Amino acid sequence: MKKNSLIVSLDVETFRQAQELIHELDEIVEIFKVGSQLFTAYGPFVTRYLQARGKKVFLDLKFHDIPNTVASAVKSAVSLSIPPGNEKNFVPIFMLTVHTAGGKEMLEAAVKAAKEHARKLKVKRPLIVGVTVLTSQGKDDKLEARVLERALLAKRCGLDGVVASVEETPSIRRYCPEKFVVVTPGIRPAGIGMDDQKRIAPPGEAIRMGSSYLVVGRPIIQADNPFKAAKAILKEISGG
Ligand code: C5P
């Protein structure tokens, strides 16, 4: 079972809810996404909780600001890889997001800050991925071209990959090698509602189209049985 490509998005209100999900999914999920909701409420407390338990953190704060501010925020994110005490097996921050709409200078500043600060702290550098166009935004004629343009910009600026919907993944794959990470949200197993997402796909299809990681929130965290829901998605991933 290819368990490494599933990222569960901890889009919940309280630390207790996050904790319950982390424990429930412990056996089968290795990467958890911490986004603005949980990070705004609990900050490093929640990332450290995961890291101390051997989990990889995808810090999805979508940095988008002037280059200097983004570089400083990236440095702060890299610093989260240092354990607060003497925890053994503390896992460094695995991946973080910046917004490609910030442009070349901002993206280059983010990569440079991550590399330099990780070297200085002697920690593994997190992967830097660029958000292209949110999957809640619907399609228009120029969407695919815009996403591709932003993906190529991200690649030129030295980012490790992008966040894009399954619909744009094949064209990104045509121009970017396998090791360029494509993170795909908007995953909906057959028979599950779209919520606010517009460009959605089932897990198996996303993998077939070339996604490296699938981000799944509501279909798992709001399921009656999150463990079962995650297991079913993992099964689809390995089939894909
Ligand atoms: O619940 P759902 O599976 O739609 O959650 C998707 C997660 O991925 C949310 O946390 C959302 O913020 C995030 N995301 C997204 N589209 C992007 C980037 C991130 O939906 N382009």
Side-chain angles (χ1 to χ4, degrees):
M1 198 176 275
K2 203 173 157 201
K3 83 171 187 181
N4 288 350
S5 19
L6 175 64
I7 303 177
V8 172
S9 189
L10 292 172
D11 296 323
V12 291
E13 213 180 310
T14 67
F15 181 68
R16 174 57 73 87
Q17 288 168 309
Q19 225 178 359
E20 277 171 12
L21 281 166
I22 296 161
H23 284 266
E24 212 172 328
L25 300 170
D26 184 43
E27 221 182 278
I28 52 172
V29 177
E30 190 190 4
I31 317 171
F32 288 90
K33 181 168 94 77
V34 175
S36 40
Q37 182 181 13
L38 214 51
F39 199 78
T40 304
Y42 299 97
F45 186 70
V46 63
T47 50
R48 286 178 181 146
Y49 183 84
L50 285 158
Q51 292 167 277
R53 275 154 193 80
K55 299 298 178 192
K56 292 181 177 172
V57 172
F58 173 25
L59 191 62
D60 182 26
L61 301 176
K62 302 186 178 67
F63 297 139
H64 183 188
D65 209 314
I66 57 170
N68 186 56
T69 303
V70 167
S72 307
V74 167
K75 274 193 196 168
S76 298
V78 172
S79 297
L80 294 174
S81 292
I82 300 284
N86 54 2
E87 288 87 346
K88 297 269 177 300
N89 308 321
F90 192 78
V91 181
I93 297 293
F94 173 60
M95 181 155 72
L96 63 86
T97 47
V98 293
H99 206 302
T100 56
K104 179 172 178 285
E105 224 186 303
M106 191 208 86
L107 297 173
E108 286 175 347
V111 173
K112 185 164 176 269
K115 283 187 178 160
E116 288 180 358
H117 204 55
R119 206 174 305 133
K120 187 174 156 207
L121 299 182
K122 297 189 173 59
V123 293
K124 194 171 174 352
R125 176 178 76 77
L127 297 173
I128 314 276
V129 294
V131 175
T132 52
V133 176
L134 296 177
T135 35
S136 55
Q137 280 175 241
K139 270 189 265 188
D140 63 55
D141 298 349
K142 302 207 178 76
L143 185 83
E144 195 175 320
R146 198 156 68 238
V147 171
L148 183 60
E149 193 185 305
R150 287 185 176 178
L152 294 176
L153 171 70
K155 187 166 160 268
R156 277 200 305 278
C157 294
L159 268 71
D160 301 289
V162 285
V163 183
S165 94
V166 70
E167 293 180 26
E168 301 96 35
T169 301
S171 65
I172 295 173
R173 276 282 164 250
R174 216 170 301 134
Y175 296 95
C176 303
E178 195 64 28
K179 75 177 215 305
F180 190 74
V181 167
V182 179
V183 180
T184 311
I187 300 298
R188 292 293 178 273
I192 292 201
M194 288 170 74
D195 301 308
D196 58 347
Q197 299 283 23
K198 301 267 165 33
R199 286 143 44 231
I200 60 163
E205 191 189 327
I207 292 292
R208 276 194 299 279
M209 294 297 147
S211 294
S212 324
Y213 295 100
L214 309 187
V215 176
V216 186
R218 287 162 289 186
I220 291 178
I221 66 172
Q222 289 180 6
D224 291 337
N225 185 333
F227 183 84
K228 256 186 160 170
K231 212 144 188 205
I233 288 175
L234 283 168
K235 203 168 159 213
E236 276 198 55
I237 290 176
S238 54

